[in-house]
Amino acid sequence: MKKIILSAAILACGFTFNSCNKVANQLAQTIGWSGLDVTIDVPPSTAIGTYTAIGAGTFNYNLDSFIKSKTSDLLGMKNIEEFKFKSCQLTILNPGPTNSFGDFSDAKAEFSTSTKMTPKVKLGEVNGNPDGLSSSLTLPINTSDNMRPYLPASGPVTIYYNLSGTMRRVRTTTTTVNVHIEYEIKVKG
């Protein structure tokens, strides 16, 4: 009789564990996040042909609350399995004949956070950018690295973007660049 009761208890625990796994797997989902756009002022420069830092921007965001809002308060930042880049779009807000992405032969965007400042991670980069009038630049991005170590377990996080590049001609005006990054967040209970 004790063997039957013990077997029933083990079987019930197995069903309960299996049910919990099914619920956790049903909670697993991928959430798209646009972050917040950042505006970076790139100052005038005469540093032609030299790869250099050209500007930085930052924003603070409560990613934990965002994830909870998308999962009916069932999951939060502690449930993030993957945090990856999806796209990077740079747009000049004050374009003109002497203020274009054609002024840059190379461009790179980097990412870091208040949780992990170094090493900075390359978001995306273009080398040999065409010389022509263009007010937008889509950077080929790094979609393989999991940025989870750059996030805290809960609460807000400060995200930093850094731009660098090589200028092909002297720039006499300040260029205002909008940085728009799309992310993919995989969470699981």
Side-chain angles (χ1 to χ4, degrees):
M1 184 69 167
K2 286 183 182 180
K3 286 183 182 181
I4 293 173
I5 293 173
L6 183 58
S7 295
I10 290 171
L11 190 59
C13 286
F15 283 131
T16 301
F17 181 71
N18 191 28
S19 295
C20 288
N21 277 344
K22 285 182 182 177
V23 170
N25 288 335
Q26 287 175 344
L27 290 177
Q29 60 182 291
T30 300
I31 302 168
W33 180 55
S34 294
L36 296 179
D37 285 7
V38 172
T39 302
I40 297 174
D41 286 330
V42 179
S45 178
T46 59
I48 298 171
T50 304
Y51 204 89
T52 185
I54 57 176
T58 184
F59 69 92
N60 193 344
Y61 195 84
N62 193 331
L63 197 52
D64 196 40
S65 291
F66 172 77
I67 292 168
K68 287 179 180 177
S69 74
K70 297 293 183 183
T71 62
S72 302
D73 286 328
L74 296 173
L75 303 174
M77 281 182 71
K78 69 180 185 288
N79 302 101
I80 294 176
E81 289 192 336
E82 289 184 356
F83 184 76
K84 293 185 175 185
F85 308 122
K86 190 173 177 186
S87 67
C88 177
Q89 180 73 35
L90 306 177
T91 305
I92 295 177
L93 300 179
N94 58 334
T98 59
N99 203 14
S100 166
F101 279 116
D103 297 337
F104 298 89
S105 60
D106 306 303
K108 178 170 68 173
E110 293 177 306
F111 166 94
S112 60
T113 68
S114 52
T115 301
K116 188 171 180 180
M117 296 291 292
T118 59
K120 289 180 176 35
V121 177
K122 180 173 63 174
L123 258 161
E125 183 174 25
V126 63
N127 295 300
N129 185 45
D131 185 359
L133 290 177
S134 177
S135 63
S136 66
L137 180 63
T138 301
L139 293 179
I141 59 157
N142 166 9
T143 59
S144 59
D145 290 344
N146 184 357
M147 298 294 100
R148 178 59 181 111
Y150 284 77
L151 300 176
S154 65
V157 61
T158 302
I159 294 179
Y160 301 93
Y161 298 140
N162 293 284
L163 299 179
S164 56
T166 305
M167 285 181 271
R168 60 171 45 104
R169 60 185 144 266
V170 172
R171 297 183 46 266
T172 58
T173 59
T174 297
T175 301
T176 304
V177 178
N178 183 73
V179 180
H180 179 82
I181 310 295
E182 296 281 333
Y183 297 89
E184 188 172 86
I185 305 168
K186 290 185 181 177
V187 292
K188 186 175 180 182

